[in-house]
Amino acid sequence: MISLDTIQQAHDRIRPHIHRTAVLTNRTINEKANASLYFKCENFQKIGAFKARGGLNAVLQVAANREGTAITTHSSGNHAQAVAFAARQVGMPAYIVMPRTAPEVKKAAVRGYGAEVIECEPTLEAREAGVRAVIERTGAVLVHPFDDDRVIAGQATSAKELIEDFGQESGFDLILAPVGGGGLLSGTALITHYLSPATRVIAGEPAGAADAILSFRSGRVEKAPFIDTIADGLMTSLSDRTLGIIRTHVTDILTVSDEEIIAAMRLIWERMKIIIEPSCAVPLAVVLKHPDQFANQKIGIILTGGNVDLGKLPF
Amino acid sequence: MISLDTIQQAHDRIRPHIHRTAVLTNRTINEKANASLYFKCENFQKIGAFKARGGLNAVLQVAANREGTAITTHSSGNHAQAVAFAARQVGMPAYIVMPRTAPEVKKAAVRGYGAEVIECEPTLEAREAGVRAVIERTGAVLVHPFDDDRVIAGQATSAKELIEDFGQESGFDLILAPVGGGGLLSGTALITHYLSPATRVIAGEPAGAADAILSFRSGRVEKAPFIDTIADGLMTSLSDRTLGIIRTHVTDILTVSDEEIIAAMRLIWERMKIIIEPSCAVPLAVVLKHPDQFANQKIGIILTGGNVDLGKLPF
């Protein structure tokens, strides 16, 4: 059970290591959406994504509790960098299992934080086997990307800052976040429930990775019918842990097409002059797709990260 | 003569209409440059560029002094939007002469501010003739992009904010700005002279539009030997007015190649997660090109704007 106190302690723990990221507004996008949007810019966070928060909260506790002498995880994306970064902060070795097909620039970034990259075949089985081998060899502690209360409590601190900074005088009508494995969404929903119970939390999901919406309806962790989306950070399925929180505290999950994601991404790039990942654009795409549903509301949006390959842009 | 008082009045005049833009720092780029860099983010300014400042300062005075009932200028770039935006703020009609070859998106942006776009052939002669015709027809007042004290005083307010916000406890060793027509550079050099006289001002110029460096040496307004650069905001030559200020208050002008500009631009996009124009990247390219000259210094850099065509990126 992740209590308000747990999240507050997480925030105190990670605060010296993270940025309190800016919240931006944009008049043109507000006019287009006919709503009042507050963008929490985790693209400006350490390692370029909110995942630094959860990774730090877990790794700092592993170090403080002497649970092990090394850290491991498997990830092809931002969580790999988050864990490598967090391990460096506490001076512990990190072993990151990454699919050999992951972009060289991502492997280089992980190595740049001093972690060892162990390459594996690009399947979930190979990744999990890689982590088991690391644990046997080194005794490292696994920090899962989302199926971990400490990670979820860390991710919750982004919405916590958003509510503290811009949801006090007049509360948010709703807060939107994208959903992949559900770590960010779970944390966002919990802290919103604690700090601003009248605020609804809604998730955006790519139509090309529509597992969370199925799981949300059925109450069981489902696989997506197919995976085909530009939002490469949102391909993962939920876990029982994240699904449980989401079913309790999230109002709805809405899907958007890749065309809608790219249009929203482009709008943010062109108008706000900031670089965000495709996954980031999903909540704005949801708002623009349902103008009546969101009209005249005060909406917080978590912009999750800005790690894009500039050589492979969709426009 | 543009006095400190002139610039302070300009700042008071335009303040209700502009953003006090953020100043960002980045540890990775500092490490790479072996210097302490403060980036003044005019890409977050109204219309996406510092030009909103100078355009507003001129247009607000035209309106207050009843010098005319309409505004005109010629520009293919940010100054066109700046004047259109400023005219809308005071409720005056604006007639913007633009080369017919200018991107449709830029013409649309100018029209979006309610201005009339008058297309002309893409030569300086045609642009000036177009403006003369507008003045004859409408009695509009010309707001020149840089050869105008009111515009220069407006552009000076960016460095003014930078010095006020981050140059008080320990002064900047130097401030860098790019140079095109010299409006921003003149204003930056003047306000730095007034507020922080120990701070040097250095300009960056594309090697493919190397007129200012020639003019700086000879003391006469020179043409570039050739024009071939990605930094499309910096192709203009100086005027006698801007050259005079620059010769008095600027320490040096250094050139960089397009490869160096693109590498610096990419570094800012990837590490700072913000969108800047190629012209913006020139000062950082200068710093990275001369590591010994700038080592261990506290350096302010004006990031001039973020209006790029996402369909035509150099990477």
Side-chain angles (χ1 to χ4, degrees), chain B residues 32 64 112 130 135 205 237 264 274 280 283:
Chain B
K32 206 171 168 83
I135 292 172
E205 184 169 48
S237 299
I274 63 173
C280 261

Side-chain angles (χ1 to χ4, degrees), chain A residues 249-261:
Chain A
H249 294 296
V250 170
T251 302
D252 204 0
I253 299 178
L254 299 169
T255 61
V256 282
S257 70
D258 272 20
E259 289 71 24
E260 291 159 340
I261 295 170

Side-chain angles (χ1 to χ4, degrees), chain A residues 237-257:
Chain A
S237 300
L238 303 178
S239 68
D240 289 333
R241 183 191 315 259
T242 55
L243 176 59
I245 300 170
I246 289 166
R247 291 256 293 177
T248 309
H249 294 296
V250 170
T251 302
D252 204 0
I253 299 178
L254 299 169
T255 61
V256 282
S257 70

Side-chain angles (χ1 to χ4, degrees), chain A residues 14 17-18 21 41-59 73-87 106 113 127 143-147 150-158 178-185 232-237 242 277 279-280 302-307:
Chain A
I14 68 177
H17 304 275
I18 61 166
T21 50
C41 290
E42 292 295 307
N43 55 330
F44 295 153
Q45 188 50 270
K46 294 282 181 184
I47 73 125
F50 74 91
K51 298 248 178 188
R53 297 175 182 267
L56 273 165
N57 190 44
V59 169
T73 197
H74 61 86
S75 165
S76 59
N78 290 330
H79 182 65
Q81 288 184 62
V83 168
F85 165 73
K106 297 211 168 182
Y113 292 116
R127 287 161 60 152
V143 174
H144 191 276
F146 56 87
D147 190 31
R150 301 194 280 205
V151 171
I152 292 170
Q155 318 303 31
T157 59
S158 176
V179 58
L184 176 72
L185 180 59
D232 57 0
L234 305 178
M235 294 173 174
T236 323
S237 300
T242 55
E277 303 171 1
S279 305
C280 260
I302 315 283
L303 290 181
T304 47
N307 294 327

Side-chain angles (χ1 to χ4, degrees), chain B residues 29-111:
Chain B
I29 298 179
N30 281 350
E31 285 171 3
K32 206 171 168 83
N34 190 26
S36 185
L37 307 180
Y38 293 75
F39 294 94
K40 175 70 171 167
C41 289
E42 292 296 308
N43 54 329
F44 294 153
Q45 189 50 268
K46 294 282 179 184
I47 74 125
F50 75 91
K51 297 246 177 189
R53 296 173 182 269
L56 273 165
N57 191 44
V59 169
L60 290 171
Q61 286 179 81
V62 169
N65 302 340
R66 301 175 185 276
E67 292 172 33
T69 56
I71 303 286
T72 186
T73 197
H74 62 85
S75 166
S76 60
N78 291 329
H79 181 65
Q81 288 185 62
V83 167
F85 165 73
R88 189 181 67 173
Q89 295 297 106
V90 297
M92 287 172 77
Y95 304 94
I96 313 293
V97 177
M98 299 182 77
R100 60 174 172 71
T101 52
E104 277 308 317
V105 62
K106 295 211 170 184
K107 294 178 197 163
V110 169
R111 290 191 190 103

Side-chain angles (χ1 to χ4, degrees), chain A:
Chain A
M1 176 61 192
I2 304 169
S3 68
L4 174 58
D5 199 45
T6 308
I7 297 170
Q8 281 169 335
Q9 287 171 17
H11 208 187
D12 292 342
R13 188 177 292 118
I14 68 177
R15 192 175 283 116
H17 304 275
I18 61 166
H19 296 302
R20 191 173 186 104
T21 50
V23 175
L24 298 182
T25 63
N26 186 275
R27 188 182 303 188
T28 307
I29 297 179
N30 281 350
E31 286 170 4
K32 207 173 167 83
N34 190 26
S36 185
L37 307 179
Y38 293 76
F39 295 95
K40 176 69 173 166
C41 290
E42 292 295 307
N43 55 330
F44 295 153
Q45 188 50 270
K46 294 282 181 184
I47 73 125
F50 74 91
K51 298 248 178 188
R53 297 175 182 267
L56 273 165
N57 190 44
V59 169
L60 290 170
Q61 286 179 81
V62 170
N65 302 339
R66 299 176 186 276
E67 292 173 33
T69 56
I71 304 286
T72 186
T73 197
H74 61 86
S75 165
S76 59
N78 290 330
H79 182 65
Q81 288 184 62
V83 168
F85 165 73
R88 188 180 69 174
Q89 296 297 105
V90 298
M92 286 174 78
Y95 304 94
I96 314 293
V97 177
M98 299 182 77
R100 60 174 172 71
T101 51
E104 277 308 317
V105 61
K106 297 211 168 182
K107 296 177 195 163
V110 170
R111 291 191 188 102
Y113 292 116
E116 183 178 320
V117 171
I118 293 120
E119 299 195 15
C120 71
E121 292 304 301
T123 66
L124 184 59
E125 292 70 30
R127 287 161 60 152
E128 291 177 343
V131 162
R132 280 195 304 275
V134 167
I135 292 172
E136 278 177 31
R137 175 162 67 86
T138 67
V141 176
L142 170 65
V143 174
H144 191 276
F146 56 87
D147 190 31
D148 180 319
D149 280 357
R150 301 194 280 205
V151 171
I152 292 170
Q155 318 303 31
T157 59
S158 176
K160 179 170 180 282
E161 293 175 4
L162 176 62
I163 293 167
E164 288 170 352
D165 291 348
F166 290 89
Q168 298 293 344
E169 289 190 30
S170 72
F172 288 103
D173 294 305
L174 59 138
I175 292 180
L176 270 77
V179 58
L184 176 72
L185 180 59
S186 301
T188 299
L190 281 172
I191 193 65
T192 303
H193 167 69
Y194 293 135
L195 295 184
S196 184
T199 302
R200 286 166 295 132
V201 173
I202 292 181
E205 183 169 48
D211 59 281
I213 189 170
L214 290 179
S215 311
F216 187 67
R217 288 180 187 154
S218 74
R220 290 187 320 246
V221 173
E222 311 270 4
K223 297 271 180 213
F226 62 95
I227 300 279
D228 179 16
T229 176
I230 190 175
D232 57 0
L234 305 178
M235 294 173 174
T236 323
S237 300
L238 303 178
S239 68
D240 289 333
R241 183 191 315 259
T242 55
L243 176 59
I245 300 170
I246 289 166
R247 291 256 293 177
T248 309
H249 294 296
V250 170
T251 302
D252 204 0
I253 299 178
L254 299 169
T255 61
V256 282
S257 70
D258 272 20
E259 289 71 24
E260 291 159 340
I261 295 170
I262 292 168
M265 177 175 167
R266 183 166 193 145
L267 188 65
I268 290 175
W269 282 48
E270 289 189 337
R271 290 297 174 163
M272 297 178 66
K273 311 297 181 191
I274 62 174
I275 290 176
I276 59 160
E277 303 171 1
S279 305
C280 260
V282 169
L284 177 60
V286 165
V287 171
L288 296 175
K289 185 174 187 168
H290 301 281
D292 293 344
Q293 182 171 349
F294 298 108
N296 302 313
Q297 306 212 29
K298 178 176 175 180
I299 302 173
I301 289 182
I302 315 283
L303 290 181
T304 47
N307 294 327
V308 288
D309 183 344
L310 294 179
K312 292 184 183 172
L313 295 177
F315 28 70

Side-chain angles (χ1 to χ4, degrees), chain B residues 254-273:
Chain B
L254 299 169
T255 61
V256 282
S257 70
D258 271 20
E259 289 72 23
E260 291 159 341
I261 294 170
I262 292 167
M265 177 175 167
R266 183 166 193 145
L267 188 64
I268 289 174
W269 282 48
E270 288 189 337
R271 290 297 174 163
M272 297 179 67
K273 311 296 180 191

